[in-house]
């Protein structure tokens, strides 16, 4: 029996979602976390697409939470996948995507500095419907990866390139205190700063990030402390 069309926020009809609902294992409304509903209700872009992604992910048995302001799906409190949107596309992000086999070649590494996470990007609801089986297979593999306790091997801090703008501050007159404070941080905090400094394409932006972070480093605090 073909289900009735799903009404999306604003009254539009989600006809692509109807195709997904023909599966006998499709999620029920009870799978949705009411605390996350507002994210989908307030969406103004990629509305149909993120609703479809939500249904597909919940159909795989994960728990729905709101983390970093976006829908995040977990297994026994471990992050597996999240949904996020950008101007040109919406996407799911696998926290340990680097460990997935990716036989379809759809996983994307956002930047060369991203070690563990991988995205699958979408620009239409039709793409999501077409990739439903693949996406579910990847989610189930991600669940098995988590159950097996597998870890993504991360680079050590010394393997990261220190941005020129930060190196300049470390080598400058009076930079000894900054260097000592930076080396006194935990490896995780050091990596976070280096990734943060390296991310912008413009040197001016990198320089600004370094300058604004110096007081925090000198206090012995991490980027998000």
């Amino acid at each position: 029996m073909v289900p009735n069309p799903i009404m999306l926020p604003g009254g539009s009809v989600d006809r692509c979602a109807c195709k997904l609902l023909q599966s006998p294992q499709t999620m029920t409304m009870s799978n949705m976390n009411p605390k996350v509903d507002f994210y989908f209700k307030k969406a103004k872009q990629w509305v149909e697409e993120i609703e479809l992604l939500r249904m597909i992910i919940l159909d795989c048995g994960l728990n729905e939470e709101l983390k970093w302001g976006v829908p995040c799906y977990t297994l026994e409190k471990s992050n597996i996948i999240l949904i996020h949107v950008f101007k040109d596309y919406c996407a799911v992000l696998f926290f340990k995507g680097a460990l997935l086999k990716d036989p379809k070649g759809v996983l994307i590494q956002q930047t060369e500095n991203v070690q563990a996470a991988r995205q699958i990007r979408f620009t239409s609801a039709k793409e999501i419907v077409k990739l439903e089986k693949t996406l579910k297979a990847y989610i189930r593999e991600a669940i098995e990866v988590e159950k097996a306790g597998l870890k993504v091997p991360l680079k050590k801090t010394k393997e990261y390139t220190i941005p020129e703008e930060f190196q300049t501050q470390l080598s400058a007159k009076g930079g000894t205190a900054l260097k000592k404070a930076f080396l006194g941080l935990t490896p995780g905090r050091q990596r976070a700063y280096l990734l943060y400094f390296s991310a912008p394409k413009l040197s001016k932006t990198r320089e600004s990030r370094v300058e604004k972070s110096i007081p925090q480093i000198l206090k012995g605090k991490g980027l998000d402390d």
Side-chain angles (χ1 to χ4, degrees):
M1 181 176 67
V2 179
N4 294 324
I6 293 175
M7 299 304 296
L8 293 176
S12 61
V13 178
D14 187 350
R15 299 188 185 281
C16 289
C18 293
K19 298 178 181 179
L20 297 180
L21 287 176
Q22 294 176 30
S23 167
Q25 295 183 342
T26 302
M27 66 163 209
T28 62
M29 294 295 289
S30 61
N31 295 106
M32 296 180 179
N33 183 342
K35 295 181 180 179
V36 186
D37 285 345
F38 94 95
Y39 176 88
F40 296 92
K41 290 178 180 178
K42 74 178 179 64
K44 296 181 179 179
Q45 189 178 18
W46 309 111
V47 177
E48 183 177 2
E49 288 78 8
I50 60 176
E51 287 281 2
L52 289 172
L53 291 172
R54 185 187 197 187
M55 288 190 291
I56 290 172
I57 296 171
L58 286 176
D59 201 23
C60 294
L62 294 174
N63 298 313
E64 185 175 58
E65 301 180 37
L66 191 69
K67 295 186 178 183
W68 309 287
V70 300
C72 181
Y73 301 86
T74 64
L75 177 72
E76 297 178 355
K77 298 184 179 181
S78 295
N79 300 323
I80 303 297
I81 188 173
L82 61 72
I83 296 173
H84 54 177
V85 299
F86 299 85
K87 180 180 178 181
D88 298 324
Y89 63 89
C90 62
V92 293
L93 181 139
F94 290 92
F95 285 86
K96 293 183 179 179
L99 297 179
L100 302 183
K101 296 175 183 178
D102 193 20
K104 301 294 184 179
V106 293
L107 294 178
I108 296 173
Q109 182 180 8
Q110 289 171 276
T111 70
E112 61 180 14
N113 288 322
V114 175
Q115 298 184 71
R118 295 292 186 273
Q119 282 183 331
I120 300 181
R121 298 176 181 178
F122 303 96
T123 56
S124 72
K126 288 183 179 180
E127 282 186 329
I128 296 172
V129 173
K130 184 178 179 180
L131 280 176
E132 178 193 359
K133 291 183 179 179
T134 297
L135 183 52
K136 284 186 175 181
Y138 279 44
I139 294 171
R140 291 182 181 119
E141 183 184 356
I143 290 172
E144 292 306 311
V145 164
E146 190 59 42
K147 287 181 176 178
L150 302 182
K151 305 286 186 182
V152 177
L154 302 177
K155 292 192 298 184
K156 296 181 180 179
T157 304
K158 63 182 181 181
E159 297 179 79
Y160 283 85
T161 301
I162 297 179
E164 181 181 350
E165 294 77 9
F166 186 44
Q167 185 62 60
T168 298
Q169 292 289 344
L170 293 173
S171 303
K173 186 177 180 180
T176 304
L178 177 61
K179 184 175 182 179
K180 182 178 180 180
F182 183 74
L183 293 176
L185 297 173
T186 63
R189 289 187 172 90
Q190 291 178 17
R191 288 194 296 269
Y193 274 119
L194 294 179
L195 290 174
Y196 177 65
F197 296 155
S198 301
K201 294 181 179 180
L202 297 177
S203 176
K204 183 177 181 180
T205 306
R206 294 194 297 271
E207 184 176 329
S208 175
R209 287 191 174 189
V210 169
E211 291 177 352
K212 291 179 179 179
S213 299
I214 288 176
Q216 188 85 339
I217 295 174
L218 289 173
K219 292 178 183 178
K221 295 184 177 181
L223 188 62
D224 298 316
D225 290 348

